[in-house]
Structure formats: structure tokens, C-alpha cells
Amino acid sequence: MNLTKVIIAGPRGRMGKEAVKMVMAAEGFELISVLDHKHEGKLLSEVDENAYANVPIYTNLEECLQKSNADVLIDLTTPEVGYLHTKTALQYGVRPVVGTTGFTGHQLNELKEIAEEKKIGCIIAPNFAIGAVLMMKFSKMAAKYFQDIEIIELHHDQKLDAPSGTAVKTAEMISEARRNKEQGHPNEKETIKGARGANVDGMHIHSVRLPGLIAHQQVLFGADGQTLTIRHDSYNRDSFMSGVSVCVETVMKLDTLVYGLENILD
């Protein structure tokens, strides 16, 4: 069996540690190296006693790509670093699977052009949890019938971007099915700036950041005499790994960039 050779960027982060365990346990994957901001030349098992991965750590992505002969780069870093990692991996012919959110439309277009020029796949997923993807799909379906919508996303207090990439993607998908409408009273005024959250095509997105949370989102729909709530909760980061695994398998079959896990699920 041909193994898919994988590099993980951000192996000591909360998501990265789960990804290391997933790749190590998967029959069809082989973890061959990791990319970190320190510990150059050491083995991952030497700096993380819980990582039973005797693979080299690199601090320079280009050197890592040159020496590793990888098929896929799993990037679980930050938006700024993730964009550079994705672009570099594509230029080296390595297929990125990216869980970092916060890419601009311009960056996504640029990365898609490179992927299609190289004729290799790239997947950028705001959320790897399959349940979260279904929540987004169901919300798009409901938006055909409910025009008044509010999105509340709740995450741990170390998350850097607000609103979350999942909330933004949810709003984009809803907008494809919903006519633009300003939700709320036409003459409403915020007595405290930001009280109504971010406005996307008349929908409102609210971001909550608290310790103890992982990743949660609910989409609230209102109509005369009724409401509908669609909610997804991730209680640990293992919930994202089935989606990461699907993306690693699927990206090997693509020749373009795909944004959103929902676009590769049947």
C-alpha cells in the first residue's frame, strides 16, 4: 500500500497534537516530519513526551519540503503564517490541508491560481468537524424559508480571529440562499457600540470568547410565531480529526483549491 507522506505544521499546538496522533494511527498515512518555530534538528518525541513520533523538526519550511519528499502539508498555525506555508507548499508541489482561518478573498484567489497552475489539490477548511459542516449545510437549507437570522459563535479565549471562520463561512452559505434583509427594527440604535455584533448582508454575527469553551456555534432563525435553532458543539479537538483525515485522502485526488469541507462531502 502506498502511504501518503505527511508534514504537520504546528505539531505542539492543541490541534497539532491531535493531528500528530491521528496521522500516526492512520493505516494509510505516514508522518515524516514536522514544522515548528523552534527545536530545529531535534525529534518531536524529544520535545513532547506525549508524542511518540521519532520524526525530525524543521524550523524552515523550504528546507523541510526539500528534504522530506512529502505529499501533504497539514497546516494548523495562524492566518499569516498559514498563508505563507500554503503558498510555499504549492510552489513545491506539496498539497496543503489547512485548518487556519482568516484568509482574505485575494489570498484565496492567489492560492487557487497556483494550485491550478501546478495541477495539484489544496483544501482550506474553516472547520474540520463534520457535524459543523452539516450545521452549515442545514442552515443554508433553512435560510430559504427564514429571512431573519442571527449567528452566535462561541470559542475558547485564546482564539485570535473574530468572528470565526466557521461563522463567516456559514454567513456566506446562507447568503447564497437568502435574499438580503436587514434583521431587526429598521430604526434600531446601538446604545453601546457593537451590541448588535457584525452585520453581514443584514444578518448579525456575535462572537463569544471564554475559557472552558472549545468550538460552538448556533444559528438562530426567527419567523412569525416560531424560531428554529441549529447548533453544533465540539467538546474536544479530537472532533476535528475525522475531517482532517478525509481532507488528506481527498486532496490527493484534486487539481484545484477547495474552500470548505462541505464541498468534498457527498
Side-chain angles (χ1 to χ4, degrees):
M1 178 176 63
N2 292 327
L3 298 178
T4 300
K5 298 178 181 178
V6 177
I7 300 169
I8 295 177
R12 293 185 301 110
R14 293 170 178 171
M15 279 283 286
K17 288 181 178 180
E18 294 296 332
V20 168
K21 289 192 291 185
M22 182 276 292
V23 172
M24 292 287 291
E27 292 184 1
F29 304 158
E30 179 185 6
L31 183 65
I32 55 174
S33 58
V34 296
L35 184 70
D36 200 357
H37 67 279
K38 59 182 180 180
H39 302 305
E40 171 72 31
K42 292 187 176 182
L43 299 178
L44 181 59
S45 57
E46 294 176 327
V47 300
D48 184 350
E49 62 182 13
N50 294 315
Y52 304 104
N54 295 317
V55 297
I57 298 173
Y58 292 89
T59 56
N60 181 279
L61 178 57
E62 292 200 47
E63 181 183 1
C64 181
L65 293 169
Q66 290 167 0
K67 293 183 177 180
S68 297
N69 190 31
D71 299 306
V72 174
L73 169 70
I74 299 175
D75 188 274
L76 302 166
T77 58
T78 63
E80 297 79 9
V81 174
Y83 164 70
L84 294 174
H85 286 176
T86 304
K87 185 175 181 179
T88 303
L90 287 170
Q91 291 169 338
Y92 274 83
V94 175
R95 299 163 186 261
V97 169
V98 186
T100 304
T101 61
F103 290 109
T104 67
H106 174 75
Q107 289 173 332
L108 291 173
N109 288 335
E110 181 184 12
L111 295 172
K112 185 171 184 178
E113 288 179 4
I114 299 172
E116 292 180 349
E117 178 186 340
K118 295 286 187 178
K119 293 183 172 57
I120 59 174
C122 173
I123 297 175
I124 299 175
N127 197 316
F128 282 119
I130 291 176
V133 174
L134 293 174
M135 175 264 297
M136 290 188 275
K137 281 179 171 270
F138 297 156
S139 296
K140 181 178 179 180
M141 292 171 60
K144 295 178 181 179
Y145 308 100
F146 291 83
Q147 302 300 311
D148 294 285
I149 302 168
E150 306 245 349
I151 299 170
I152 304 173
E153 56 95 351
L154 309 92
H155 284 80
H156 56 89
D157 61 347
Q158 299 303 302
K159 186 170 178 58
L160 296 176
D161 55 326
S164 68
T166 299
V168 173
K169 181 65 174 176
T170 304
E172 291 173 351
M173 291 175 64
I174 287 173
S175 293
E176 294 173 5
R178 168 187 178 268
R179 61 177 175 82
N180 287 7
K181 179 185 178 183
E182 287 295 325
Q183 194 277 321
H185 194 285
N187 298 321
E188 70 180 11
K189 294 182 180 179
E190 291 181 330
T191 57
I192 299 177
K193 184 175 176 57
R196 291 291 286 121
N199 187 315
V200 180
D201 294 336
M203 291 176 284
H204 293 265
I205 302 177
H206 309 268
S207 296
V208 177
R209 298 291 178 266
L210 288 172
L213 297 172
I214 299 294
H216 318 263
Q217 180 171 296
Q218 60 185 40
V219 186
L220 307 177
F221 301 84
D224 291 341
Q226 62 177 320
T227 61
L228 170 67
T229 301
I230 301 175
R231 179 174 175 121
H232 176 263
D233 298 274
S234 284
Y235 297 108
N236 57 53
R237 289 169 178 82
D238 186 51
S239 64
F240 304 116
M241 291 305 111
S242 58
V244 176
S245 178
V246 169
C247 286
V248 172
E249 293 174 353
T250 304
V251 78
M252 296 298 297
K253 307 169 188 174
L254 300 177
D255 58 4
T256 187
L257 182 148
V258 173
Y259 180 66
L261 185 60
E262 72 280 359
N263 292 309
I264 64 171
L265 296 179
D266 294 333

